[in-house]
Amino acid sequence: EVQLLESGGGLVQPGESLRLSCEASGFTFSSYAMSWVRQAPGKGLEWVSSLTGSGFTTYYADSVKGRFTISRENSKNTVYLQMNSLRAEDTAVYYCAKDPTARGMATTLWDYWGQGTPVTVSS
Amino acid sequence: EIVMTQSPATLSVYPGERATLSCRASQSVGSNLAWYQQKPGQAPRLLMYGASTRATGFPARISGSGSGTEFTLTISSLQSEDLALYFCQQYNNWPPTFGQGTKLEIK
């Protein structure tokens, strides 16, 4: 059974940093691209970042480019999102999501999602 | 980026009746269109991909159609378990983008 478990969310002040983690199980982790998608309170979904199975290729939304870094440790079945220079508009539930194709490429279609970790940026 | 527009924002339907949700793309996305179902307090769940292929676990009374810029999600006989938010998403172009969602209510 595929499981994705996010952690690391919390309350931070504007300008601070946070690192989110997503531990995966139930599939061959290194074969799949992984992504982060967020949902602001009462709002829709916004893609944040993706990286390929190898971790060599990364993609970012313009809204987070230069501030967020996605990475993965395939030996630990874990994907990370390092978030720096946080802003109030980054407040959201952050979901980790798995690509459905075992080719390692990022198709930006997601067949499994974690339950999310909330991030609140406020002074 | 491609803008996805969903209508209506809220849809109220009696149990057993048909529900039709629409999604429009600002430019062609071919058939690279997905639908996600999000129940209250839960993560999104992949419902449909390739515009018309149902994901695992969803009944045949839910169907998807369309290509290019116009897409439809149809629930032929609404059940109480269908109460949820429904999002469409294009994965044809970077960045992937979502519609703002349709809230499906049971009358």
Side-chain angles (χ1 to χ4, degrees), chain B residues 4-17:
Chain B
M4 307 300 293
T5 303
Q6 290 185 243
S7 61
T10 303
L11 182 61
S12 295
V13 178
Y14 286 105
E17 291 194 340

Side-chain angles (χ1 to χ4, degrees), chain B residues 11 13-14 17-21 72-78 104:
Chain B
L11 182 61
V13 178
Y14 286 105
E17 291 194 340
R18 176 188 299 264
T20 303
L21 289 68
T72 301
L73 182 73
T74 302
I75 303 175
S76 61
S77 177
L78 196 72
L104 184 55

Side-chain angles (χ1 to χ4, degrees), chain A residues 39 45 47 95 108 110 113-114, chain B residues 36 38 43-44 89 91 94 98:
Chain A
Q39 186 171 32
L45 299 166
W47 168 75
Y95 294 103
T108 66
W110 302 289
W113 299 58
Chain B
Y36 296 88
Q38 186 177 32
Q89 178 235 332
Y91 54 99
W94 288 96
F98 294 88

Side-chain angles (χ1 to χ4, degrees), chain A residues 6 20 22 34-40 43-50 59 61 64 68 70 79 81 83 90 92-99 108-119, chain B residues 36 38 43-44 87 89 96-98:
Chain A
E6 302 96 335
L20 307 183
C22 171
M34 298 293 295
S35 301
W36 290 93
V37 179
R38 67 186 180 184
Q39 186 171 32
K43 301 294 185 182
L45 299 166
E46 180 189 16
W47 168 75
V48 174
S49 182
S50 300
Y59 307 85
V64 306
F68 289 13
I70 191 171
V79 60
L81 187 67
M83 304 186 296
D90 296 318
V93 174
Y94 284 72
Y95 294 103
C96 167
K98 169 189 165 291
D99 197 283
T108 66
L109 177 64
W110 302 289
D111 60 351
Y112 287 93
W113 299 58
Q115 283 304 302
T117 186
V119 172
Chain B
Y36 296 88
Q38 186 177 32
F87 294 98
Q89 178 235 332
T97 48
F98 294 88

Side-chain angles (χ1 to χ4, degrees), chain B residues 42-90:
Chain B
Q42 296 185 16
R45 183 182 172 195
L46 179 64
L47 167 60
M48 198 78 61
Y49 60 95
S52 60
T53 302
R54 264 189 317 278
T56 304
F58 287 96
R61 58 188 179 81
I62 301 178
S63 62
S65 63
S67 66
T69 62
E70 300 284 343
F71 301 89
T72 301
L73 182 73
T74 302
I75 303 175
S76 61
S77 177
L78 196 72
Q79 309 291 314
S80 57
E81 68 205 45
D82 300 324
L83 164 74
L85 263 173
Y86 292 83
F87 294 98
C88 63
Q89 178 235 332
Q90 67 82 18

